[in-house]
């Protein structure tokens, strides 16, 4: 496992023991962490409770073969949304002026080097070096060069990796090259490489607002493309990206979400064996149900070179990862746009790797017939004073600290949410595209298709109920329903959702049955079973849904089963009422935003404080939930049917939900009260005509 040192400048890839340590730590971790592959063999029980995924799990056996281009394109759209929502970049932040500063040009004979800084967000600066070829006319290609976690970042200059040699060689060959600092490296000193690190433990408010280090770096990369496009000599149709290790992660994520990248070469990073060990590679929700191989394949069918090494986690690229990505390119008839090479070396971006990349880029950007390597010739490295942006220069006066930047990003998200609220029904489609996507990929939940749900077990219970155990295709979860049926095919159906290990009040259950209603109760996801392992996993939320998110999914699965299976053969669909009791009221209200029409919903708000990030962290610690607009978005997305909120107390802002119904012309269908409904009152409400 690659370690993330507290001081990133001490991270040393030059050590010959790095691969040995990686393998040893991986073996140790797998001894104490349940393997997803092994658990797949368990035939009973909810796999979600026992399976904990992590960055060093071997995902080889979980690579999926897509059969048609349409199947992959649908999956690709989902994955791109997942990347953008997980990094807090959906809805996209407003792009402010870059305010580019370029200075201190150095003439290196075949090329020049300049110092650059610009604002990717107001008060946050990207710093780096711009390499430009000399004696070029017309438009030229440009290459972005993100770096990995080397001791000196973009300035690393050793036999294993040289960022300055890479950029200088590109410039010598006729490209504009831009190399910039990871957050917390070299000139990027205002923000540490542990920026917004709360998601390691899942206890920080920025997690709720989609503020994280990977999102900041991905945004910096997108703004770096914007910067290149301000240069008059850059050909906008010939922009490439290549980086190694953590820079490889930056390369394939940028390439996945930014169509302006036309050629890419991620180096020593696309692997089924290790997904990225740094905070800047692990945003919450990023790799739930996916891995780096799928994420890299999002670049298809644009030209992609996969560079690997025998001495790190990309050792199997030629036999595992490359064939998997090739299957995607095959769907586009674009196999010639994918190539893979492997170096007999430890973790690197060494001369052999760089020369392979030069050949690939020249083939696609300069019309070179071959893809064979191009040799580095007579290129030297500039001095540190010539490369360090703020060497002997004052830093910008408006530069934000880490705490200030987090607060600024949260404030910007709040303001954006306010502007996106639909004032009329005509504005709903745009709202659904923006915040509907945000909510879905924050919750990482969906309303299943009917054929995705199967009955794993069915039996009669002594209490007169039929117990049905559901499982979703490809998930191997287990969800138990108790169904109390009545003879009439058109009888109303009431779904009662309760907290785990809680039973619906017997008075309520008996009353509904006496009123000739079919009643469905659901035992939602309880919790993960191995708390000790859970506590040891780095970046848990990058690879696993939270307990609350699993419970929201169970509400949706129950709804889908009732509406698509239980009632599918009914000519006149009976009324379906969804009721969230106790703590389950919050999960039910959020699930309702991703479901089709429900005749009526009644939820206990549990006196939740909707204005408190701390309340969300304690009761609904779901990454990105506040960035997506939480309850207001869920209510706006749902088909506007009667909704009753009770037990709101003084802090659950039911007025915001009432305002949604008012703006959309259905004010009469919303009701809220601060007190909790008694069982008798709830029964009367459920049995009224």
């Amino acid at each position: 496992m690659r370690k993330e040192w507290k001081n990133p400048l001490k991270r040393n890839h030059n050590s010959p023991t790095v691969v040995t340590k990686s393998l040893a730590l991986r073996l140790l971790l797998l001894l104490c962490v349940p393997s997803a592959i092994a658990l797949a063999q368990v035939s009973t029980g909810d796999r979600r409770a026992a399976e904990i995924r992590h960055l060093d799990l071997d995902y080889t056996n979980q690579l999926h073969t897509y059969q048609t281009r349409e199947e992959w394109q649908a999956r690709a759209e989902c994955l791109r949304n997942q990347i953008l929502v997980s990094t807090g970049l959906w809805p996209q932040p407003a792009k402010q002026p870059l305010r580019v500063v370029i200075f201190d040009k150095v003439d290196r004979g075949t090329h020049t080097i300049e110092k650059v800084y610009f604002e990717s967000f107001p008060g946050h600066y990207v710093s780096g070096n711009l390499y430009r070829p000399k004696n070029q006319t017309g438009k030229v290609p440009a290459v972005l060069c993100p770096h990995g976690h080397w001791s000196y970042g973009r300035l690393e200059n050793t036999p294993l990796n040289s960022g300055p040699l890479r950029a200088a060689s590109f410039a010598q060959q006729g490209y504009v090259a831009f190399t910039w600092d990871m957050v917390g490296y070299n000139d990027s000193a205002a923000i540490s490489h542990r920026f917004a690190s709360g998601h390691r433990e899942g206890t920080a408010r920025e997690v709720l607002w989609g503020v994280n280090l990977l999102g900041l770096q991905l945004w910096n990369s997108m703004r770096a493309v914007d910067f290149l496009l301000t240069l008059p000599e850059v050909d906008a149709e010939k922009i490439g990206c290549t980086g190694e290790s953590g820079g490889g992660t930056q390369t394939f994520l940028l390439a996945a979400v930014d169509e302006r990248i036309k050629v890419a070469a991620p180096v020593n990073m696309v692997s089924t064996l290790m997904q990225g060990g740094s905070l800047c590679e692990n945003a919450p929700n990023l790799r739930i149900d996916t891995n780096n191989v799928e994420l890299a394949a999002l670049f298809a069918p644009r030209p992609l070179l996969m560079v690997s090494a025998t001495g790190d986690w990309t050792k199997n690229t030629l036999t595992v990862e490359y064939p998997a990505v090739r299957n995607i390119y095959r769907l586009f008839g674009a196999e010639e746009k994918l190539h893979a090479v492997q170096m007999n070396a430890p973790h690197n971006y060494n001369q052999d790797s760089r020369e392979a990349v030069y050949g690939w880029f020249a083939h696609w950007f300069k019309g070179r017939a071959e893809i064979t390597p191009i040799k580095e010739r007579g290129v030297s490295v500039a001095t540190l004073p010539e490369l360090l942006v703020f060497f002997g220069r004052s830093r910008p006066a408006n530069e934000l600290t880490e705490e200030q930047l987090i607060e600024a990003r949260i404030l910007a998200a709040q303001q954006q949410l306010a502007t996106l609220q639909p004032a009329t029904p005509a504005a709903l489609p745009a709202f659904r595209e923006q915040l509907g996507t945000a909510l879905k990929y924050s919750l990482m939940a969906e309303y299943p298709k009917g054929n995705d749900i199967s009955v794993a077990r069915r039996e009669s219970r002594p209490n007169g109920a039929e117990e049905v155990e559901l499982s979703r295709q490809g998930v191997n979860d287990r969800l138990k329903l108790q169904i109390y049926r009545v003879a009439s095919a058109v009888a109303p159906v009431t779904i009662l959702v309760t907290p785990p290990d809680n039973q619906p009040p017997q008075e309520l259950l008996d009353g509904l049955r006496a009123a000739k209603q079919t009643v469905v109760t659901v035992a939602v996801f309880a919790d993960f079973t191995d708390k000790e392992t859970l506590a040891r996993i780095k970046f848990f939320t990058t690879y696993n849904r939270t307990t609350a998110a699993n419970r929201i999914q169970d509400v949706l699965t129950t709804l889908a089963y009732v509406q698509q299976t239980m009632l599918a053969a009914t000519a006149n669909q009976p009324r379906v009422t969804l009721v969230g009791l106790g703590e389950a009221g919050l999960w039910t209200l959020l699930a309702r935003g991703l479901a089709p029409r429900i005749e009526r919903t009644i939820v206990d708000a549990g006196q939740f404080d909707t204005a408190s990030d701390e309340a969300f962290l304690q009761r609904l610690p779901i990454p990105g939930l506040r960035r997506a607009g939480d309850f207001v978005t869920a209510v706006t997305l749902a088909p506007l049917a009667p909704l009753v909120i009770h037990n709101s107390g003084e802090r659950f802002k039911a007025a915001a939900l009432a305002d949604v119904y008012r703006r959309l012309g259905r004010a009469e269908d919303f009701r809220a009260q601060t007190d909790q409904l008694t069982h008798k009152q709830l029964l009367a409400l459920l049995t009224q005509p």
Side-chain angles (χ1 to χ4, degrees):
M1 185 193 338
R2 287 193 302 164
K3 293 183 68 178
E4 182 193 20
W5 274 253
K6 291 183 179 179
N7 179 356
L9 295 181
K10 292 183 179 179
R11 186 168 181 173
N12 183 6
H13 282 256
N14 299 335
S15 167
T17 62
V18 67
V19 176
T20 303
K21 288 180 180 177
S22 172
L23 293 174
L25 284 170
R26 187 178 299 125
L27 289 171
L28 178 63
L29 184 60
L30 289 177
L31 288 174
C32 61
V33 178
S35 164
I37 305 304
L39 285 167
Q41 300 170 5
V42 178
S43 59
T44 60
D46 192 341
R47 172 171 154 179
R48 298 173 300 174
E51 175 182 300
I52 299 175
R53 301 190 179 204
H54 52 87
L55 65 92
D56 280 308
L57 189 69
D58 186 346
Y59 291 90
T60 302
N61 291 336
Q62 297 185 39
L63 295 176
H64 181 70
T65 300
Y66 295 89
Q67 301 300 323
T68 67
R69 183 190 302 185
E70 292 71 25
E71 180 189 8
W72 166 250
Q73 288 175 324
R75 173 64 171 160
E77 181 181 3
C78 292
L79 290 174
R80 290 190 181 96
N81 289 336
Q82 189 169 333
I83 293 170
L84 291 169
V85 173
S86 74
T87 55
L89 301 180
W90 185 279
Q92 186 179 96
K95 286 188 175 182
Q96 303 295 337
L98 290 170
R99 306 186 193 281
V100 179
V101 179
I102 304 176
F103 60 101
D104 282 1
K105 180 181 290 188
V106 176
D107 192 322
R108 303 293 296 178
T110 59
H111 61 281
T112 62
I113 306 175
E114 294 162 282
K115 299 177 181 180
V116 177
Y117 64 90
F118 58 80
E119 290 182 90
S120 64
F121 286 124
H124 174 64
Y125 286 86
V126 175
S127 49
N129 296 120
L130 180 64
Y131 294 73
R132 301 201 227 200
K134 291 177 64 178
N135 304 319
Q136 294 283 327
T137 58
K139 299 285 188 178
V140 298
V143 181
L144 292 167
C145 297
H147 68 81
H149 295 91
W150 308 89
S151 296
Y152 297 100
R154 68 181 167 88
L155 305 177
E156 185 82 10
N157 183 36
T158 69
L160 275 182
N161 170 63
S162 177
L165 268 179
R166 183 199 338 168
S169 295
F170 269 122
Q172 184 189 60
Q173 295 167 35
Y175 301 80
V176 169
F178 180 58
T179 177
W180 70 102
D181 292 315
M182 275 187 177
V183 173
Y185 277 73
N186 298 317
D187 289 298
S188 182
I191 308 295
S192 76
H193 202 64
R194 289 181 56 80
F195 171 79
S197 59
H199 93 84
R200 292 168 64 92
E201 297 82 27
T203 56
R205 65 189 291 254
E206 59 262 26
V207 175
L208 301 169
W209 289 100
V211 178
N212 53 68
L213 180 56
L214 176 55
L216 181 57
Q217 290 202 163
L218 183 55
W219 183 251
N220 288 350
S221 299
M222 296 167 74
R223 299 308 321 259
V225 180
D226 294 339
F227 161 61
L228 287 179
L229 293 176
T230 68
L231 304 176
E233 70 269 35
V234 168
D235 186 339
E237 295 303 314
K238 292 184 178 180
I239 296 178
C241 186
T242 178
E244 78 292 349
S245 192
T249 302
Q250 291 182 62
T251 297
F252 64 70
L253 289 179
L254 174 65
V257 301
D258 196 326
E259 294 184 350
R260 296 174 298 179
I261 303 300
K262 304 302 182 183
V263 178
V267 177
N268 288 27
M269 199 59 242
V270 181
S271 173
T272 60
L273 301 179
M274 204 278 291
Q275 303 302 300
S278 171
L279 184 67
C280 78
E281 299 170 272
N282 288 277
N285 287 351
L286 177 66
R287 296 189 184 89
I288 290 177
D289 299 332
T290 190
N291 54 73
N292 282 354
V293 178
E294 272 199 326
L295 299 182
L298 290 171
F299 197 55
R302 290 166 286 170
L304 176 69
L305 175 66
M306 300 172 65
V307 182
S308 60
T310 57
D312 70 4
W313 44 84
T314 59
K315 62 184 179 180
N316 297 329
T317 290
L318 299 183
T319 57
V320 175
E321 292 88 0
Y322 169 66
V325 177
R326 186 175 177 81
N327 283 335
I328 303 300
Y329 275 75
R330 175 182 51 81
L331 299 176
F332 293 90
E335 293 96 325
E336 79 285 355
K337 293 183 179 179
L338 177 71
H339 189 55
V341 295
Q342 188 168 80
M343 307 306 165
N344 186 18
H347 195 63
N348 76 91
Y349 201 162
N350 62 17
Q351 183 174 346
D352 288 341
S353 296
R354 294 194 300 270
E355 290 174 349
V357 172
Y358 302 148
W360 183 252
F361 275 66
H363 176 71
W364 295 103
F365 279 162
K366 290 180 168 292
R368 182 172 180 257
E370 302 81 12
I371 61 171
T372 52
I374 292 177
K375 294 293 183 183
E376 288 182 346
R377 301 185 187 279
V379 182
S380 60
V381 173
T383 65
L384 289 180
E386 292 173 318
L387 297 175
L388 286 168
V389 174
F390 295 113
F391 182 83
R393 185 184 182 94
S394 298
R395 302 187 69 84
N398 70 331
E399 190 168 40
L400 299 179
T401 65
E402 185 165 329
E403 293 74 19
Q404 289 171 333
L405 182 57
I406 289 173
E407 293 305 315
R409 297 321 311 147
I410 292 175
L411 178 60
Q414 292 169 337
Q415 293 171 338
Q416 187 178 46
L417 284 171
T419 63
L420 289 172
Q421 295 304 314
T424 65
L428 274 172
F431 179 87
R432 290 193 179 103
E433 179 183 355
Q434 292 288 314
L435 290 181
T437 298
L439 184 67
K440 176 180 177 179
Y441 289 95
S442 168
L443 300 177
M444 288 304 295
E446 63 181 352
Y447 182 82
K449 302 181 183 68
N451 57 5
D452 287 342
I453 302 174
S454 61
V455 175
R457 183 178 58 82
R458 188 194 303 270
E459 62 182 66
S460 298
R461 308 299 294 172
N463 61 0
E466 177 188 35
E467 184 169 283
V468 175
E469 190 171 279
L470 305 179
S471 182
R472 285 176 296 146
Q473 182 179 2
V475 181
N476 201 21
D477 52 353
R478 291 292 187 272
L479 175 62
K480 292 180 182 178
L481 309 182
Q482 299 271 346
I483 303 174
Y484 301 84
R485 297 181 186 270
V486 296
S488 172
V490 294
V493 178
T494 297
I495 303 172
L496 301 177
V497 186
T498 63
D501 301 324
N502 284 26
Q503 295 296 322
Q506 194 63 44
E507 175 187 355
L508 181 60
L509 193 59
D510 292 343
L512 290 171
R513 296 179 69 186
K516 305 302 182 185
Q517 291 194 22
T518 293
V519 182
V520 179
T521 70
V522 52
V524 297
F525 181 81
D527 206 346
F528 297 94
T529 54
D530 188 348
K531 296 299 180 62
E532 290 186 11
T533 298
L534 193 68
R536 290 196 296 266
I537 295 298
K538 289 174 63 177
F539 316 122
F540 172 81
T541 58
T542 300
Y543 301 87
N544 304 275
R545 291 171 177 83
T546 63
T547 296
N550 278 318
R551 292 170 178 173
I552 290 165
Q553 178 60 64
D554 286 348
V555 177
L556 289 167
T557 302
T558 302
L559 270 170
Y561 177 74
V562 169
Q563 293 178 317
Q564 299 173 4
T565 302
M566 277 182 58
L567 305 179
T570 306
N572 297 314
Q573 285 279 325
R575 184 178 68 190
V576 175
T577 299
L578 180 63
V579 182
L581 300 170
E583 190 74 6
L586 300 176
W587 317 324
T588 301
L589 188 56
L590 289 169
R592 181 178 180 271
L594 301 182
R597 182 178 173 84
I598 304 162
E599 185 69 23
R600 179 174 51 178
T601 305
I602 304 171
V603 298
D604 185 333
Q607 301 189 33
F608 185 82
D609 187 351
T610 54
S612 168
D613 289 333
E614 185 59 33
F616 278 91
L617 289 172
Q618 291 298 320
R619 297 169 67 179
L620 288 170
I622 299 173
L625 180 57
R626 303 225 68 191
R627 175 79 170 99
D630 52 77
F631 300 108
V632 173
T633 292
V635 169
T636 308
L637 290 172
L640 290 180
L643 171 62
V644 176
I645 305 283
H646 66 104
N647 194 24
S648 65
E650 300 301 325
R651 295 184 176 179
F652 188 96
K653 303 303 180 185
L657 308 185
D659 187 55
V660 172
Y661 273 76
R662 180 192 59 76
R663 283 186 280 112
L664 299 180
R666 298 291 295 273
E668 71 281 3
D669 284 334
F670 181 82
R671 169 185 162 187
Q673 65 180 60
T674 56
D675 296 335
Q676 186 175 35
L677 292 170
T678 66
H679 298 160
K680 185 176 181 180
Q681 290 171 326
L682 183 56
L683 180 61
L685 192 60
L686 289 169
T687 55
Q688 70 183 20

